[in-house]
Structure formats: structure tokens, C-alpha cells
Amino acid sequence: GHHLTQIRGGIFPAKTLSPKIPNPTFLSLNPISLLPLQNPKLIHSPLQGKTKKSMADTTPRKLKQSLKPNPMPKNSHLSLSPGTPLQPLTPCPVRRSTRLNSASISVDLTTPQKPIEYIEKSVIYNTPKATKIEVAPTKTPTRKREKESQLYTADVTFSPVLTPDQSEFKKRKGEGERRIATRANAKNGKKRVYYKKVVYDGGEFEVGDDVYVKRREDSSSDNEDPEVEECRVCFKVGESVMIECDDCLNGFHLKCLKPPLKAVPEGDWICGFCEARKLGKVVELPQPPEGKKLVRTLREKLLSSDLWAVHIESLWKEVDGTYWFRGQWYLIPEETAAGRQPHNLKRELYLTNDFADIEMESILRHCFVTSPKDFSKANNGGDDVFLCEYKYDIMWHSFKRLADIDNAEEENEDSDSDDEDWNTPKNADSGTDEDMEYEEENATNSKSRPPSANELAANSRKGRFFGLHKIGTKKIPEHVRCHKQTELEKAKATLLLATLPKSQPCRNREMDEITAFIKGAICDDQCLGRCLYIHGVPGTGKTMSVLAVMRSLRSEVDSGRTKPYCFVEVNGLKLASPENIYRVIYEALTGHRVNWKKALHLLNERFSDGKKIGKDDDKPCILLIDELDLLVTRNQSVLYNILDWPTKPYSKLIVIGIANTMDLPEKLLPRISSRLGIQRLCFGPYNHQQLQEIISCRLKGIDAFEKQAIEFASRKVAAISGDARRALEICRRAAEIADYRLKKLTITPNSASAVKGLVGMAEVEAAIQEMFQAPHIQVMKSCSKLSKIFLTAMVHELYKTGMGETTFEKLAVTVSCFCASNGETFPGWDTLLKVGCKLGECRIILCESGARHRLQKLQLNFPSDDVAFALKDSKEIPWLAKYL
Amino acid sequence: MPSVCGRNSSPFDRSDNVDDVNRSDGDSTSQKRRLGGDPVAMEVRQISTQIKWKSPRRCVNSSPKTSAIGTEKDSMEGIVNLQKSQKTILTNDLTAKPNWNPIDTEQVSAVKEALHVSTAPSTVVCREDEQRRVLEFCKVCIEEEKAGSLYVCGCPGTGKSLSMEKVKQQVVDWAKEAGFHPPYVLSLNCTSLTNTSEIFSKIIGENQPKKKLNGSTSPLQQLQKLCSQQQQSSCSKMMLIIADELDYLITKDRAVIHDLFLLTTLPFSRFVLIGVANAIDLADRFLPRLQSLNCKPMVVTFRAYSKDQILRILQERLTVLPYIVFQPLALELCARKVAAASGDMRKALSVCRSALEMLEAEFRESTGNMNSISQEKGSLDKQTATGPEILEVQGNNVVRVDHMAVALSKTFKSPIVETIQSLPKHQQIILCSAVKFFRGGKKDTTVGELNKSYIDICKSVLIPPVGTLEFLGMCRVLNDQGLFKLGQSREEKFKRVTLKVDESDITFALQGIRFFRACLQ
């Protein structure tokens, strides 16, 4: 196989050999590799024997490596210890910095049954070209096939569709495979053989390993698997040391950097491109030279969800001789419901509670998913190291920290070799039907879960879908890769009240004041308790400003300019009762949940008596109470207590109260307003320029609104309430109307070209109409004919008598007059009374309660002009107009 | 009942008083006291009064060469340090107090701390008389081992709780000195009780900390038993209960407060109860039965502070600082204003603080564009001994009357006119229509009526009126702003509306707009 390996890393030799010299090589090799290896000297011999024959892929490199004095192979072995737990001693790959020749991996394993069993697997690439180390013990079937077809076009036997027999003799596990358990399959009458470890295609997989699994057969990007990552600047592999950016994970030659680095720096390092990107510049990565395709490593593919990572739960041989494993999926953060969060690390994965039975054919090779602790230690490892801290529940979209689950699992696996327990999935998450499903699985292998989403999941035999459906169930949520938004859609999204605007204009003065207030209280060493009362009409940005200030303070704390503090935010409306605020505050401060009486006692101890229990208790505390007026109880003791604490010497408490009413302090008991202090801040209603600025600030960069339209909306709102929420809502609604109109137009193709996607005055007008026009006009416009006559009669009666109230009797007379003179039939008193009741229920008219008879008093609930306006141009009964 | 201390002395003949302070009470604030000796303080005050009106020539002359704020801070820090060392030398050989530097954060925070409500002054000035009376009462009770009750009342911010803290301390000290058993002291704030009757369990818990509470009988019954039976000599300790915010114990049937006071009338009771609250007539209104039993508690009233008292207290607080921060006139202005408004000391303190912040802001602004000046000033401060430069710097440094005036107006002025002027148009029209409506001598109306009058006005000037629901919303907003008062009613339409601000205020605020002027004519 030497000439083959010249071409490329040499995973093929094993494969090319396999059909021809199938069993002998493998069978003979593995025993060697399983020799007891206590003596470090012995390491070389099996290794080399192996490399020469079966693992020809590694040979050239090895040889080259051996030219240099390299102590690697010796160091690489972990000492053998009988009774090692099943969890493989995962190589401690160093995460970054030096992808030098230091990492080496060996997986040693012994079991109680066969104490001297040893499987050595250490593949160290030390290419002369690059110093970056890749760990690729497994060969991908896909690649095998493809390469093979390139090389031996005649060799058709290795087509994807393999008969069970063929595949059986090809897929070899070493003699050293241990039969862990057998499990009777009642339905089949045959046995399915479970293993703890399987050597498959030259790669060794055991329970607890993490592997890459290919995703799609036709995924074109799957053909390359560069062992060595290329430099992002020169696109060559080269010999020199590469460094990995901690942000984009790209590799760079030290010499290719500008300025070039001499040595790998300590700590995190971010490449110049990412730095520039963070500063808001548009960065263009250098393009690869003509004709050269940018190859992606498996890691890159995984992180762009072209591959999947799986945690092996159990391994077995099917009756037909194929090898399968049961795997627990990993997700990349983008695939969770929450999407990628700012705190996610680049190499973070989530373990899911989703399992699947997968054929071993789809395994690409090992990857290493470590706990955060191990991950931080592994600072010099290969490219396939990931970290996983949380478990993700795909049903409930919840996250759970992994540490404790993991330990429990390990213990279990150590203790029992019994097959029942061995096979029960030990996922701590209940709430899925996983457990039950597993029991039935043997029988109903094929109908486990409805296959969803991706039907193109990897499968070595097309058409025979077994557990492999599951590979396809990882649907990537819409929000990760949604279609490109139009300008209007963007506008709608940014105008949502829930959207946090990038900047908050028009409240600079107030925000400065709040900042000054808080800083004045917490910045110095001493922290003097204070209170601030913020008031203003709804929708004037009170809470938003405070929170914005707190955010900027937060960032100051992070950068070390301000001392840390705790921030507690309470909304009065969200409290079941005012007293519950103690409970909420205490929970926010300490994380303990106690009832409010206890909480009051403890808070009193903390703030009044200055008892500091925890180390955090000494931090200043900022308490933001939204809707302060809802805390006013009958004797106002809640407010008293909260506002009394800041006056105590060691409280270090700062209270910010927000409410709508301007004169709340005056309404309170004098002793409370005396403690509330004199610090007030008023948020006046916005005027139209301010509203206009707010809207255009949100819409910055989105060309969806005409300027006059925004001005119109803001003027309208400013004249009535000055409520920014309302202005935003109007604009959003206008955008919706425009979007709707646009879509309707594009359906009819001829007019599509003429459409301009801008929100104009007409849409805003329509939105304002919807928002400000009272619903009663609509009700009156759309009510029945008789109701309209009834209402007209009411108005007529009002004009005639000048009195607001009338009786039903008088009204009925008028209605009958109308009907007679206009050729309508008078419906009768009963029906008329019913109509009156209906209108009364709609609150269009006010009926005297409890009296349904002739002398019942009636009154219009709305001004008669509204009725006239609504009914004037009614089409079905045009004669109404003359009575209005 | 002469509750106010009669010493209306001028701020400058205070030395005897200060001596008093030093003698009587050296417990808590010896550290602060170290900062400035009293005789020094006196001298400096006199100096400062002579020199304060000099013009700040320096500031105007210097060239405004600004640099980054960060570096400025650094350099400032260095200067401050230098300055401090210089200062100690100065005070040693000159005995002149250096004027303070508002840029020095340490000094600023010291001043702020001195002015903070939570900082208890070493002595409670101007409340000596009241304190003495309470103390006497306690002494008599303890000496004679008889129970008694006292009620302390007064407006908020008149030093009641503070005085009680001091008295508590003094009673314990005195008892130790005089050879009596020091009493148990239970001082609690009634607002922090989750249930009014919890006070009894607190008392009993304090009284017999070891004994477990008896499940069968309520704490009150146990207490009553305790007080009505002859006790062994072992637990003959007196107990001083100070109940702050006593009126929170008033329940519907007034049982708790009654029982509490009755405890002191029982034959073998050993409780000395001091209740503190705002209401002057709480005892008369809520404890009529006690009156009939002829054991009405003695009442000590804390009157609102007069202007002189406020001034003295402020000065007392500021003497701990080794530098002058406020112009005497500014302090006096503050004292006068606050005394006239409420006599609330808390308010006076916060007004002073906000005036201080105003000065700080002013300095921050000026240092923003005149960095070099401030540096120069810092170097000037170093050489404070040399001649007249010190004077002008000082004139610029202290909190002046104008700062105080602004702070006071921020606190006490009612912002009605500005509020009305900043209202949205339609709300102004509503106010206008309300004014017109109430011109006829009516006192109140309903929302529906007001709506009609509003629509009339709108129509007269061809403005489309808003809908009824919108109108109701605006009325609610006006109610929140304190301009209207909306009554309670099931029907929105029939809610009573009254105007809470003066008609002339609205007229004044809206007269700038021609449309409203025409409307209100």
C-alpha cells in the first residue's frame, strides 16, 4: 500500500486491502496489537508491525517522523492498569496555541475479564509539512468509497450497497473484542451481540466514545477531510507552527500573521480579522488561490451542522452481521431552540436526550467531547476537541448542567457488567418516552419515531432504514437559517416593542441623572443608601432608561472600573401581594426561597442590623421597584420598611422606585415621604420631534418608511399622549398593512413591477384609524338594520326633546313613525325590545337595569355625533340620514 | 411643656457646647473627631467668612489645554496625594484649615457621609431637653423598680428614633454606673412585625430567652401571668421596651396596643415601655381606657425643628470635617427654607447633599474643558500658605448660596406650570375645557360632561376630537399627574372630576399659546 499512501493520508489502503486480503491481515494484526504492553520497549514493535501492514496510512508519516529524534511514541502510552474503567482515558488534547508535535493519543483499556488485554491505538501524524496534529484514527466509509472509485475504477464490489455477508467479512473487529453481553432477541430468535469495544475499519470504538457521524450521503462537502488544516492566509499547509484564533477557530501560520509572531502567545489570542470584525469593520478573509478549494475540517463541518457528533451508548452486532451502535446526539448551540447565545463557546456542544441506532458505517472518526474542566486543561490538543457542559432536552428545550448526571452514569457503568442494566439508557431526564421505547426497540426497530425532516441521513444501504432515521430528526430551527428578510419585515421586527433598540435617544439627560445618582451612591468605598423616585406617564421610557443605565454599569463592572454590586429588579405588578416583595428580594439576593415573613426578618437583619452573613452581602445592592404604587398597602408598612433600610448605616441599599403618578410621595404617609427623600426624576411625555427621532433611530439602515409618514405618526401620538409605545405600534401596524398590500399585489403579476415597498401616509393613516378610532363606530356600522333604525330614533328623540334620557315607550312610537313614513314594516314591540336589550349588552346604549318593560329608561352611551357619523352613509337604509 | 431646647445661640458661640460634647460622649465617633480639632474649626470658620467673596480670577486666565480625562484623573490623584501631605504640614504649623477641594473624591465622600441620614452624630444637638426627660423617666422607673409607659411623638425627621437610640445607650451606662441591674433592652420597629401580636412573643423571648414558649397559652397570656404574680428575685431585671412606629400596632379593635400598655399597669410588671409615633394624640384617641384607669402614659413631644436648630445641627455635623464646604449663608438659607416648610431634618440633609452635588457637577464641567486650570489649582492648593491665591480658590470651591437656592427650588417648588406646558395638546385642551367648565362656580362634574365640553372646544377650532375611550385614558393620565382628581364610579362616564390645581395656574401656563388664550378669554 505504499504507493497509495503517497497520494494521500492513506485511509484507503486498509480499505483497498480489505476486499482482497480481507480477513487475514486484520485478524492477524489485532492480536499483535493486543499484546500486553507493560514494557515500554514493546510498544514499538506492535506499532510498527501494524503500521507497516494494516495501518499503512500512518506509515509514511511515521517514518518521516522517526527521522527526527522524537520521543513521542514512548510518551504517548498511558500506563496500563488492569481494571481500568470503561471510560476511555480520553486523550488530553490541548485546545489551542501549539498544534505542535506534542499530542499523542493512546487508548488503553483492560477489563476484568481479560486483564492483559490491551488495545493500542495511537496515530500520530507528524507531517513534515505541518506541525499541526490531527487525530484521525477512523476512516470514513464515504471517503473510502469515493477514493476507491477514483483509484480503482474497476473495483465495484465496494459499492455502497453491500450484502450483509460482504460487509461482515469486511468489517472486522479484533480478536480482542470482548463479548460483554448477549441479549436474546425474542422476536428474531437470534442473538444480538453486544460489545464494549469494537474495532471497526481500523478505528476502535467503545462505549462512551464520541464520534463524528456523517449526515448525508450526497453532501458534497463530505469528500474532503483534511488531516491538516490549512493556513487561512497562505492556504498552504507548510511546516511552521500554526496558531488558532479563539474566536473564529481558523488556523494561521505564525509567519503569515501581520505582524508575524515569534512564539505562541499565552492566554487567548484573537486573529486580526476577528478583531477588526469586532470593531465593526467589514472584513474580507483572503480568498484561496484560483483552482484551490477551501477544504474544511470535520470540526468546521460539525460546527456548520454538516456533520453530527454522537456519544456511543452501546455497540452490538446485528443478526445479519452488521455492526450498530446506539448513540446519544450532540447538538451545536445553533440547533437548540435558544440558538447560539453570547456565552456559548465556539467549541461548545450540548448533549441531548435523543438517541438513535446508527450503523457503524456512518462513523467518520473519533472526536473528543470533554467537560469544561478537562477542556480548559486541554490547551494543546487537536482540532477535534469540544466541550459539553449542559444537557439539552429536545422535548422541553431545557438545559441541565451535566456534571452530576455524568458521575452517576460512570458509576453505574463501572459497577455492573450485567447486560440489562448495561443497556438501559441512563439519561437522567425523564419526561420523554425514551425508556419505554428502548424496551420495545428490539422488536420495533423500524418504527421507533416518525422520521422527520432530513430523509437524507447517512445509511450505508439505501432503502433500508433502520434506526438511522433519527439522524434526520435534527431539524435546524427556522431562526438559524431563515430566508432573507425584506426591508418591511426588518422594519416590523425592529418596531416590535420587545426589540431592544441599539440606542435610546431623547433620554440622555435623564439617563445621565440616573447614572450620576447610582454612581454617587456606589462608586466610592462607602455606600450611602439613597432613594430615587422616577415618575412619568406610561410609554416614556422610564424602565428602559434605568435598565440601560444598569447595562452600561454592568459593563463597567466587567471592565473593572466600578465595584461589583447586586441588582434586584422587582415589578410591583408581578407580585401576588405587596408583602411578597420581601420574598422576591431575598431570593434574588441569596437564592433561597423562604416565605415573606421569614424573608422580612432576614432582610431586616441584613439591612437594619448590619449583619452580613455571606461574603456577597457586603456588596452594595441596587433595588429597582417598578410600579412602586402597587406596594402601597393599607398601613403602607411594606413601603416604610423598604424605604427605611437605606437610612440605616450599614445597609448599602439603593432604592429606585418607578411609578406613573407624580404625586405619590405626597399621597403617602409623611413619615414615608420623609424617608423617600427629595430625589425625583420626571419623565415628561415625548413631543413629536422626540418621537420622530425614536422611530427613525430604530429604523436606521432600513429603508421602509417615508419621512412624512413617520412625522405624521409621531405628531398624531404626541398630540394625544406622547406615548412612545403607541407611536411604535402605529408604525409597525402601518408596515404590516403595507406588507400585506405588497403581497397582494405580487400575487397579481402584472402590477408587481410598479410596487414600491415604502410605508406611506396612507398606511399610517389606516393604522391610526384602527388604533384611535373607537370600536363602537365599527359596531354601529355593522349592526343590524333594525338596530340602526333604533339608534337613529334615539338620536332623533334626543334632538327633539333635548334630554339625554328617554323611555322605551316613546322610542317605540318614534320607530313606528319612521317605519310608516319610509315604507318599512314595523317589527313589533317584542322584537324591538330585544333589539334594545342587545344594544344595551353591547353598551351602545345604557338601559335601566332590571326593568325590561315599556317604561324602561334608555340613554345613548356615546355622543350622538358618533351615532350620526356611523349611520349617516349606511347603504341599505339611506333614509336614515335625514333624521340625523 | 417646653419641649424645644431653648438655646437659640448663634453658630459662632458654640464652643462651650462642643466641650460638652467631648465630655459627655466619646463613644462612637472618636475617629471622626480626630479629623479636626474644635479650636481649629472655629478659627477656620472665621477666616473663611472673611475671605470668601474674592473673585476667581485664576480660572479665567488660564489656558484651556485639555487632555484625556483618564490622564487628568491620574495626575489629579497624584496632586491630591501631594496636597494631602502638604496639608498635614500646614495644619501643623499654621493651624489654618485648608479649604476643601471638590475634585478630591475622598473629601467629597467624607462630606457626603457626614451629611447622610444614616450617620448618627455623636450627640443629638437641640434635643437635649427631650432626651433628658426620657432619661429621667427611665431612671426613676429603674430606681424604683416600677413599671411605666411613655409616649414620644413628633413629626417625621425630628430625631425621635435617633434620640431613643442614645437614651437606650445612656440608660444602660447609667444603670451600670449606679449599681442597678442593667435592664434588658428590646428596641423594635413595629413595621417589621409580620403580625401585630408578634410583639408579645418578642417581648417574652427577650425576657426569658432560655424558656421555651409554652404551646398552650398565648405569649400575651404568659406575659400577663408574669406581670400579675410575684416573681422570684432572680428575674427581677427591668425591661426597657422601645417600640418605634407604635401606630402600626393599632388594629381595628385596638386590642394589641391596649394590652401592651396595660402590661405596664399590672402590679408586678417590670416593663418600661416607650412608644414612638407621629400622631400627637395617639394616646388620647386610642387608649381611652388607660385614661380611665388613670395610668395614661406620659407624653414627650418632639417639635419640628426651628431654623436655628437646623442650622446648628448642620454645623454640628460639618464640624467633623477639617475643611469648609458650605458658605454659612447657604446653610442658613437651607435651614430657613426647610424650617418654614416642614422642619424635617432629613429633608435639610438631602437638600444640602443635592447642593453639594450641584457644585460637584459644576466642577466636573469646568474641569472637562479646563483641565490645566484644575491642575494649576491643585498646585496652588499646595501653596495655600502663600498669600491671596488661596482666597479666590476658596471662594470658588465652597457651596454657595446660589447652589443651595437651586437645590431648594428643586425640592420645594411645585412643577405644575412646567408640567402643564409639557402636556400633549389634547390634554391641554381638556384642562382648558375643565377651566371653562368650572368658571360657572361649579365644583365638580362627570367625565361625560367634560367630554362634551371638550368636544365643543375641539369643534370650535376645527380639531378632530379623540374618541371617548381615548379621552378617558387622558383623564386618567391627568389624574396621575395630580392635575385632576377622578372619583370612584362603576360607570366610567359618571366618574366625578375635580380640578386639583388652581385655575389661575392653568391660565398662566397656557397663556403663551394664542389658541388657548382665545379659548380662556
Side-chain angles (χ1 to χ4, degrees), chain A residues 214-229:
Chain A
K214 63 177 158 165
R215 181 176 164 191
R216 276 175 291 166
E217 294 254 302
D218 60 344
S219 174
S220 60
S221 55
D222 277 356
N223 357 358
E224 348 92 357
D225 175 20
E227 272 76 28
V228 181
E229 200 182 323

Side-chain angles (χ1 to χ4, degrees), chain A residues 353-596:
Chain A
N353 58 348
D354 193 15
F355 292 85
D357 293 349
I358 307 162
E359 214 172 341
M360 298 257 319
E361 275 286 1
S362 15
I363 292 181
L364 291 175
R365 64 165 187 215
H366 276 281
C367 60
F368 305 99
V369 182
T370 60
S371 68
K373 220 169 99 194
D374 293 340
F375 185 73
S376 61
K377 275 188 242 154
N379 57 355
N380 205 10
D383 196 30
D384 298 323
V385 184
F386 301 95
L387 99 158
C388 174
E389 190 177 6
Y390 293 95
K391 190 164 183 177
Y392 178 68
D393 189 318
I394 51 159
M395 302 293 177
W396 300 99
H397 304 298
S398 61
F399 298 88
K400 189 184 259 181
R401 193 178 283 274
L402 210 54
D404 27 333
I405 305 170
D406 228 21
N407 291 340
E409 243 170 330
E410 257 173 56
E411 275 167 27
N412 267 340
E413 287 177 16
D414 284 346
S415 57
D416 49 14
S417 52
D418 165 78
D419 96 40
E420 278 309 312
D421 281 341
W422 170 248
N423 287 305
T424 39
K426 284 148 192 117
N427 55 336
D429 280 358
S430 54
T432 65
D433 51 350
E434 201 54 54
D435 292 16
M436 196 193 64
E437 195 184 333
Y438 191 80
E439 296 304 313
E440 299 167 3
E441 196 173 34
N442 292 331
T444 61
N445 226 345
S446 52
K447 48 166 186 176
S448 50
R449 232 177 246 175
S452 60
N454 199 342
E455 297 286 16
L456 291 167
N459 190 353
S460 66
R461 12 178 121 209
K462 285 179 176 142
R464 264 193 68 193
F465 287 106
F466 264 60
L468 279 177
H469 294 215
K470 290 275 184 74
I471 299 182
T473 57
K474 304 278 104 32
K475 186 181 170 195
I476 294 172
E478 199 68 15
H479 60 86
V480 179
R481 28 187 81 169
C482 51
H483 76 291
K484 195 162 174 336
Q485 284 184 320
T486 63
E487 293 283 291
L488 273 178
E489 277 164 334
K490 274 190 221 158
K492 273 197 285 183
T494 49
L495 287 173
L496 271 183
L497 295 179
T499 314
L500 188 71
K502 286 182 216 81
S503 63
Q504 285 98 3
C506 307
R507 286 297 180 210
N508 294 331
R509 192 184 60 79
E510 282 85 355
M511 272 160 67
D512 285 349
E513 215 159 304
I514 298 170
T515 316
F517 169 80
I518 296 175
K519 279 198 174 165
I522 67 168
C523 267
D524 317 326
D525 289 336
Q526 79 208 61
C527 171
L528 303 173
R530 299 176 81 185
C531 299
L532 173 69
Y533 178 62
I534 298 175
H535 60 92
V537 289
T540 49
K542 301 183 292 292
T543 313
M544 183 204 68
S545 302
V546 176
L547 291 181
V549 167
M550 294 316 296
R551 269 196 301 276
S552 68
L553 265 182
R554 179 82 239 165
S555 64
E556 276 188 29
V557 169
D558 288 341
S559 64
R561 269 173 291 164
T562 310
K563 291 207 166 174
Y565 57 88
C566 26
F567 176 53
V568 182
E569 189 189 353
V570 185
N571 192 327
L573 265 175
K574 288 180 189 163
L575 299 171
S577 75
E579 284 85 11
N580 271 323
I581 193 171
Y582 304 129
R583 193 176 61 79
V584 174
I585 295 172
Y586 189 72
E587 194 181 338
L589 287 178
T590 65
H592 298 298
R593 213 174 246 257
V594 291
N595 70 3
W596 69 264

Side-chain angles (χ1 to χ4, degrees), chain B residues 41-92:
Chain B
M42 290 306 303
E43 280 190 42
V44 169
R45 177 156 293 115
Q46 278 154 10
I47 291 169
S48 72
T49 45
Q50 291 159 9
I51 56 186
K52 70 197 172 213
W53 291 117
K54 295 289 160 117
S55 69
R57 169 168 53 86
R58 267 286 159 180
C59 295
V60 185
N61 287 347
S62 330
S63 63
K65 195 172 279 174
T66 47
S67 66
I69 292 177
T71 58
E72 170 207 330
K73 277 250 167 98
D74 289 346
S75 62
M76 209 57 84
E77 220 52 65
I79 286 161
V80 162
N81 287 341
L82 273 177
Q83 208 180 315
K84 249 186 259 162
S85 58
Q86 204 76 25
K87 198 183 294 166
T88 48
I89 296 161
L90 267 177
T91 39
N92 283 347

Side-chain angles (χ1 to χ4, degrees), chain A residues 304-332:
Chain A
S304 53
S305 51
D306 284 337
L307 286 178
W308 282 303
V310 140
H311 182 81
I312 300 179
E313 281 281 304
S314 57
L315 298 158
W316 70 87
K317 184 164 84 173
E318 269 298 331
V319 198
D320 56 1
T322 52
Y323 287 91
W324 290 75
F325 70 95
R326 180 174 173 77
Q328 201 171 359
W329 295 110
Y330 286 106
L331 280 188
I332 58 172

Side-chain angles (χ1 to χ4, degrees), chain B residues 206-222:
Chain B
E206 187 74 22
N207 206 12
Q208 304 166 313
K210 282 153 245 157
K211 261 196 200 168
K212 272 266 167 248
L213 274 185
N214 216 338
S216 56
T217 51
S218 72
L220 173 61
Q221 284 164 334
Q222 281 184 51

Side-chain angles (χ1 to χ4, degrees), chain A residues 210-368:
Chain A
D210 303 305
V211 289
Y212 288 119
V213 170
K214 63 177 158 165
R215 181 176 164 191
R216 276 175 291 166
E217 294 254 302
D218 60 344
S219 174
S220 60
S221 55
D222 277 356
N223 357 358
E224 348 92 357
D225 175 20
E227 272 76 28
V228 181
E229 200 182 323
E230 290 165 339
C231 169
R232 269 304 137 122
V233 181
C234 62
F235 293 96
K236 283 176 205 143
V237 183
E239 281 172 52
S240 49
V241 182
M242 285 178 82
I243 186 170
E244 179 182 297
C245 168
D246 277 325
D247 201 24
C248 60
L249 298 182
N250 286 330
F252 299 91
H253 284 135
L254 288 185
K255 65 172 163 62
C256 293
L257 293 169
K258 284 173 211 165
L261 284 173
K262 285 272 184 291
V264 173
E266 286 291 313
D268 284 2
W269 178 83
I270 291 174
C271 68
F273 302 112
C274 295
E275 252 167 30
R277 202 174 294 130
K278 275 184 183 172
L279 293 173
K281 290 179 200 154
V282 180
V283 180
E284 254 184 64
L285 278 166
Q287 291 301 311
E290 271 310 302
K292 188 162 185 202
K293 243 185 90 191
L294 193 65
V295 284
R296 297 190 299 166
T297 58
L298 291 185
R299 184 261 308 157
E300 278 172 81
K301 283 187 222 162
L302 175 71
L303 294 183
S304 53
S305 51
D306 284 337
L307 286 178
W308 282 303
V310 140
H311 182 81
I312 300 179
E313 281 281 304
S314 57
L315 298 158
W316 70 87
K317 184 164 84 173
E318 269 298 331
V319 198
D320 56 1
T322 52
Y323 287 91
W324 290 75
F325 70 95
R326 180 174 173 77
Q328 201 171 359
W329 295 110
Y330 286 106
L331 280 188
I332 58 172
E334 279 86 351
E335 290 169 337
T336 62
R340 179 173 279 277
Q341 298 291 314
H343 61 76
N344 286 133
L345 294 177
K346 284 285 171 186
R347 288 176 180 270
E348 183 155 354
L349 296 178
Y350 291 114
L351 187 65
T352 61
N353 58 348
D354 193 15
F355 292 85
D357 293 349
I358 307 162
E359 214 172 341
M360 298 257 319
E361 275 286 1
S362 15
I363 292 181
L364 291 175
R365 64 165 187 215
H366 276 281
C367 60
F368 305 99

